[in-house]
Amino acid sequence: MEMKLNVVLCAGVLAAWSMVDAQAQLPSNFPQVSLWPNTNPAPGDFVGSLTVSNVPNLWSNWFAVLDNAENPILLNQTNSLGTLACNGLFVSTLGAKGQTVQFALKDDAFNVIKTYQGGNGYTADNHDFQVMPNGHVLVECSDNNAVVDMSKLVPGGFPAALPTEFIIQEQDVDGNVVWQWRTLDHIPVTDSYQTLTGQNIGDYIHVNSVWFDENDGTVILSCRNTSEVIKIDRATGNIVWRLQGKHNQFTFINGIPGNTDPAYFQVQHNARRWANGNLSVFDNGFSQHSDPSYNFTRPYSRGAEYALDEVNKVATLIWAFRHTPDIITYNGGSVQLLGGDGHFVITWGGAGNNTLVDQLAMTEVDAGGNLVCDVGLPQYGVAGNFTRLVWPLESTYANVTLRELYEYDTYVFNQGTNITGVTLDVETLDADEYNAVSVSRQPFAPVLPRFIGKAPRLVAVRVEMTQNLVYDITGQLSFDANTFGLKNPTNTTVYYRESPGQGLFVALPTEYDWVTQQLQADLPGFGEFALGFPDEAEVPYPPVLATPAQNAAANQTAAIAFLWTPTGFVADYHFQVSTDPSFGTLVADVPGLTQCLYTLSNVAPNTTYYWRVNEENDGGVSDWATNTFTTVPPFVQVTVPKGGEAWQRGKSAIIQWNANVGGNIALDLYKAGVLVKTLTTNAANIPAYQWQISVSLVPGSDYSMKIRSTTNSAVSAVSAAPFSIVDAPVINAGSIARLPDGRIQFGGSAPGAATATVLVSTNLLNWQVLQKLSITNGAGVFTDVAPATAPCLFYRVSVP
């Protein structure tokens, strides 16, 4: 609806700020800003933040509001508010990536109203954070503690790879996690377009935006490294659809006449679903991070909008903007719908190959894909983003005051262009003769709303009703369904709280008059009103148990850390641990747990334990999810090398082990029982290590590997049998001879090896193993077992 479309994203600061006359000149230490052509812009001013690096005489950080003639309206050198949320507060990120990230909600006086961080033991990621109209928030977290055996999934995959996964959490007003979704539970690593070899395969999916779709209550994720946008059902956690990527479910259609560019997007950012149901993305087109074989090298980035037919799975490109000259953005970028006129603001992120002289802080484009305005930053070392925002925010309010109200009269709070959509039918009134009642309709959701029981979904608009010289009043309030854009007014309830901006909302008995199209409720008093409807129905599903894994051998001398993730919505968990499968003997019994993690201390040695969790929500209590583990003494077990391997100097080999000890692991290389060197002392307890074999090592078949705990000297293990460090085998060309009986004989060398394998081929394509060749002192002689019959034979020697 129109009032909602006034809620746009902005970047900036607003604390300890100073107002500047609209016709004042920019100060000399403010960066240069160029606006062109700026024809027929959407309503509002330019609002944004600038950073300056190593530019003489310029201040390093700025927040600015500039009018359409580049005149300063507001300037600030110190603080940042961040982005405007749907509730009219601003969201700032506190902390850098890789640290403990917090998100702060601030008002326009820079007061911190509320902070959020990752829950359930996860660390928030600073890519995205969104406030939902009902006061809940979507927090994006990341984690790289999951170990995946990629050797079973891709050629050359590491057996203990550490992909970075993302966790999306919905938290209530008080920061409790009421919904959680992990990428590795739903999107396999092999869906990535990254290079998937090596231990730290990194950010396999890279969720760069999270968006609450107010149309149907789902969550929309933009995943750059799988090059797709996905839609998630919050009630079940299931993926509703996948748009682009290796498992694309949609047909892409180019719906722009004359447009010859591809309809599909790739390696995108900033997926947003708008009130009209359309999806916008910033289509990067180019990636310097993906596996080069996928050829994400399109020479331009663009903004794009798609009409989605979710039933027939058709995505029609209906709007696109490609800059002239072209811009390539490797990372970042956004597309933002401004309002009812269909204008978009594009920010170009980290434009790594920007052919413009200026770094663009924003581009405004109309609904027809025509350039309205570029905001350029001509000085090198100056970067930033702007948006267009109606400033100040209060100027978007519809405020109407009616005076001298009487009993039994009806008052419609609409005056000229100030349309609140609110009507008051007064029944009884005790008031001064010169009384007044004011209604302020604000295009923002309520601030920090609380509810009895499950929070409803709210329309992103609030109504504040105040009085002057009114002592007591009764009557009926009506809200115009069309003005408020109610999609299902028969299912909508009026909510009320006495103090705007704080406290508990109470649901009022509400009726919908389909003739007048008015939502009606008795007036409970003056204060704040909101309109809401039921969220998705909650069905209790068993959670997904993560650690300890099924049949794990847990360290009996350490505390046991339990971790699981909910399926769908959750209010709390019931956690139990028992020593019998029927859970008759409980070691732990913890109902009402609000986090999906628990630590159990002082477990018994050499004991099989059973643990289970169920979850409760408004739909009831789920079935139990159950796992088992056994406590054993701390141990390390070498699995590779296990004996007989022949590893070549100058190349790499992967050492593997099993362990149940915490802390770091040390790897010691021995030759003939004598320590040669310690390969590492700080291998984390991740059961694999890639060893680059030094060319300085002496070839030999008497090497062994010792793996030990650095925190418990009594815990160690040695490879079961010796392995070899060798040089590449060589066939001595001068030794090749045909024996009198027709057999072939030749000599070769393989320093360090005890045996070698001889293969034969007649075409260099198909090879057959002939026999094992014994190596003595690095050399051996091969004699074919039968006379050669083919006109041409090829031999190959490998070790072992």
Side-chain angles (χ1 to χ4, degrees):
M1 66 185 173
E2 184 176 357
M3 292 298 287
K4 287 172 63 179
L5 293 177
N6 285 324
V7 182
V8 296
L9 302 178
C10 72
V13 274
L14 198 69
W17 52 268
S18 58
M19 293 298 296
V20 183
D21 182 79
Q23 298 302 316
Q25 296 295 315
L26 289 167
S28 60
N29 60 350
F30 188 85
Q32 298 176 27
V33 177
S34 300
L35 308 180
W36 74 94
N38 206 21
T39 55
N40 301 316
D45 300 301
F46 297 103
V47 181
S49 295
L50 300 174
T51 59
V52 180
S53 301
N54 301 317
V55 182
N57 304 318
L58 294 187
W59 187 263
S60 58
N61 294 287
W62 284 94
F63 164 73
V65 179
L66 307 177
D67 67 15
N68 283 286
E70 302 179 51
N71 297 309
I73 297 173
L74 187 154
L75 298 178
N76 180 270
Q77 295 178 326
T78 56
N79 296 304
S80 175
L81 283 181
T83 59
L84 181 65
C86 68
N87 61 359
L89 298 178
F90 292 84
V91 179
S92 287
T93 303
L94 307 177
K97 188 175 183 180
Q99 301 176 355
T100 300
V101 174
Q102 286 188 317
F103 296 94
L105 296 182
K106 307 172 186 176
D107 62 19
D108 59 6
F110 205 67
N111 299 307
V112 175
I113 307 301
K114 180 72 177 176
T115 60
Y116 294 87
Q117 62 186 14
N120 291 333
Y122 292 109
T123 300
D125 185 272
N126 62 356
H127 273 95
D128 209 356
F129 173 94
Q130 190 189 12
V131 179
M132 299 162 61
N134 69 353
H136 289 199
V137 297
L138 291 175
V139 182
E140 183 177 335
C141 305
S142 59
D143 182 70
N144 61 353
N145 290 316
V147 179
V148 178
D149 186 354
M150 293 301 296
S151 66
K152 298 178 180 178
L153 301 176
V154 296
F158 196 77
L162 296 174
T164 299
E165 70 166 328
F166 282 75
I167 299 94
I168 311 301
Q169 296 178 343
E170 179 181 340
Q171 298 182 12
D172 66 15
V173 171
D174 297 311
N176 300 306
V177 178
V178 298
W179 181 82
Q180 179 173 289
W181 192 89
R182 299 192 316 166
T183 58
L184 277 175
D185 291 336
H186 302 272
I187 308 291
V189 179
T190 50
D191 285 1
S192 179
Y193 290 101
Q194 297 291 95
T195 299
L196 298 178
T197 55
Q199 179 171 1
N200 295 311
I201 59 178
D203 196 348
Y204 89 97
I205 189 168
H206 191 80
V207 178
N208 54 43
S209 75
V210 55
W211 185 257
F212 177 69
D213 187 352
E214 295 182 36
N215 294 284
D216 57 12
T218 57
V219 171
I220 303 289
L221 302 184
S222 170
C223 309
R224 183 191 67 185
N225 289 346
T226 55
S227 193
E228 65 183 336
V229 174
I230 63 176
K231 177 177 179 176
I232 304 167
D233 184 337
R234 290 160 57 239
T236 64
N238 294 334
I239 294 175
V240 179
W241 47 247
R242 302 176 72 173
L243 179 65
Q244 258 293 61
K246 294 181 180 179
H247 299 282
N248 172 48
Q249 296 173 272
F250 283 74
T251 299
F252 281 82
I253 295 176
N254 194 333
I256 304 175
N259 186 295
T260 59
D261 292 334
Y264 61 87
F265 57 82
Q266 57 189 31
V267 287
Q268 77 298 324
H269 278 76
N270 194 245
R272 299 287 187 255
R273 191 90 182 273
W274 303 105
N276 60 6
N278 291 347
L279 179 84
S280 68
V281 297
F282 184 84
D283 180 12
N284 294 78
F286 185 98
S287 174
Q288 62 182 167
H289 307 288
S290 302
D291 188 317
S293 65
Y294 293 112
N295 196 31
F296 289 143
T297 56
R298 198 183 65 208
Y300 61 89
S301 300
R302 64 180 179 178
E305 180 186 11
Y306 295 89
L308 297 182
D309 180 346
E310 298 181 271
V311 175
N312 298 303
K313 298 295 188 294
V314 176
T316 303
L317 180 68
I318 61 171
W319 173 92
F321 181 78
R322 175 179 172 182
H323 204 282
T324 302
D326 281 327
I327 299 173
I328 300 175
T329 300
Y330 300 149
N331 54 73
S334 67
V335 176
Q336 172 194 330
L337 181 64
L338 284 181
D341 57 3
H343 283 217
F344 284 91
V345 160
I346 300 173
T347 62
W348 298 95
N353 189 22
N354 191 343
T355 55
L356 296 174
V357 175
D358 293 13
Q359 169 72 41
L360 286 184
M362 77 166 251
T363 296
E364 181 179 349
V365 184
D366 66 19
N370 303 304
L371 176 66
V372 172
C373 178
D374 273 329
V375 179
L377 306 174
Q379 296 166 290
Y380 289 106
V382 178
N385 288 320
F386 277 92
T387 188
R388 189 179 288 282
L389 180 66
V390 177
W391 192 270
L393 300 181
E394 290 79 4
S395 63
T396 65
Y397 297 0
N399 299 318
V400 176
T401 298
L402 300 181
R403 305 180 187 280
E404 301 179 13
L405 278 64
Y406 293 94
E407 290 183 344
Y408 310 119
D409 280 352
T410 297
Y411 298 91
V412 180
F413 288 83
N414 297 331
Q415 288 181 343
T417 58
N418 285 323
I419 306 297
T420 72
V422 176
T423 299
L424 172 61
D425 289 299
V426 180
E427 295 176 357
T428 66
L429 178 65
D430 179 11
D432 188 271
E433 179 181 0
Y434 300 104
N435 68 78
V437 173
S438 298
V439 171
S440 176
R441 171 177 166 157
Q442 304 169 11
F444 301 107
V447 172
L448 302 181
R450 288 179 168 83
F451 302 89
I452 299 173
K454 180 178 173 59
R457 286 173 54 193
L458 293 186
V459 179
V461 64
R462 62 190 181 226
V463 172
E464 294 183 7
M465 197 170 186
T466 57
Q467 57 82 24
N468 184 38
L469 300 177
V470 175
Y471 311 123
D472 188 50
I473 186 174
T474 63
Q476 187 179 71
L477 275 179
S478 298
F479 300 84
D480 183 73
N482 293 321
T483 302
F484 282 90
L486 302 181
K487 295 181 178 180
N488 188 4
T490 60
N491 199 32
T492 302
T493 299
V494 178
Y495 290 85
Y496 164 77
R497 62 182 174 184
E498 184 176 2
S499 300
Q502 59 181 331
L504 181 73
F505 271 105
V506 176
L508 303 179
T510 305
E511 294 183 355
Y512 175 64
D513 187 331
W514 64 271
V515 176
T516 62
Q517 298 183 337
Q518 299 286 314
L519 203 65
Q520 299 172 339
D522 289 341
L523 176 68
F526 295 96
E528 183 179 4
F529 297 86
L531 304 178
F533 50 95
D535 200 352
E536 289 193 73
E538 296 190 357
V539 177
Y541 297 100
V544 177
L545 306 186
T547 57
Q550 179 73 355
N551 299 320
N555 186 349
Q556 63 193 30
T557 66
I560 308 298
F562 298 86
L563 178 68
W564 61 93
T565 195
T567 302
F569 296 108
V570 64
D572 55 59
Y573 308 93
H574 192 170
F575 171 83
Q576 291 184 337
V577 181
S578 176
T579 54
D580 69 89
S582 63
F583 288 84
T585 306
L586 292 177
V587 176
D589 184 17
V590 188
L593 195 61
T594 58
Q595 290 193 326
C596 55
L597 68 167
Y598 188 83
T599 300
L600 180 65
S601 302
N602 301 320
V603 293
N606 302 308
T607 302
T608 297
Y609 284 93
Y610 304 86
W611 68 286
R612 65 183 185 179
V613 184
N614 67 23
E615 60 185 61
E616 183 174 4
N617 59 28
D618 274 8
V621 179
S622 76
D623 293 334
W624 295 98
T626 304
N627 264 3
T628 184
F629 65 93
T630 301
T631 57
V632 299
F635 73 89
V636 171
Q637 177 188 26
V638 183
T639 57
V640 178
K642 54 189 175 183
E645 295 88 353
W647 289 344
Q648 187 175 329
R649 293 193 301 176
K651 294 190 175 182
S652 64
I654 297 176
I655 301 167
Q656 299 180 59
W657 63 92
N658 292 324
N660 68 351
V661 290
N664 290 332
I665 296 292
L667 280 66
D668 298 326
L669 177 67
Y670 284 80
K671 187 177 191 301
V674 177
L675 177 66
V676 176
K677 64 184 300 186
T678 297
L679 304 183
T680 181
T681 58
N682 62 351
N685 193 21
I686 298 162
Y689 177 80
Q690 188 158 348
W691 172 34
Q692 186 65 35
I693 303 172
S694 172
V695 295
S696 64
L697 291 176
V698 177
S701 58
D702 54 352
Y703 282 91
S704 60
M705 187 69 62
K706 181 179 181 180
I707 299 179
R708 56 185 170 87
S709 167
T710 61
T711 57
N712 186 343
S713 59
V715 179
S716 65
V718 178
S719 49
F723 65 95
S724 300
I725 293 178
V726 303
D727 284 336
V730 176
I731 296 176
N732 300 324
S735 68
I736 300 175
R738 184 184 291 272
L739 300 179
D741 59 4
R743 292 182 299 160
I744 302 298
Q745 186 180 75
F746 57 82
S749 60
T755 61
T757 301
V758 180
L759 302 93
V760 66
S761 173
T762 58
N763 55 14
L764 292 177
L765 297 176
N766 302 309
W767 293 88
Q768 178 183 356
V769 175
L770 281 181
Q771 66 183 67
K772 293 288 186 180
L773 175 64
S774 296
I775 302 296
T776 303
N777 296 324
V781 176
F782 165 76
T783 303
D784 208 339
V785 295
T789 57
C792 185
L793 291 175
F794 302 93
Y795 292 90
R796 175 184 290 174
V797 179
S798 66
V799 292

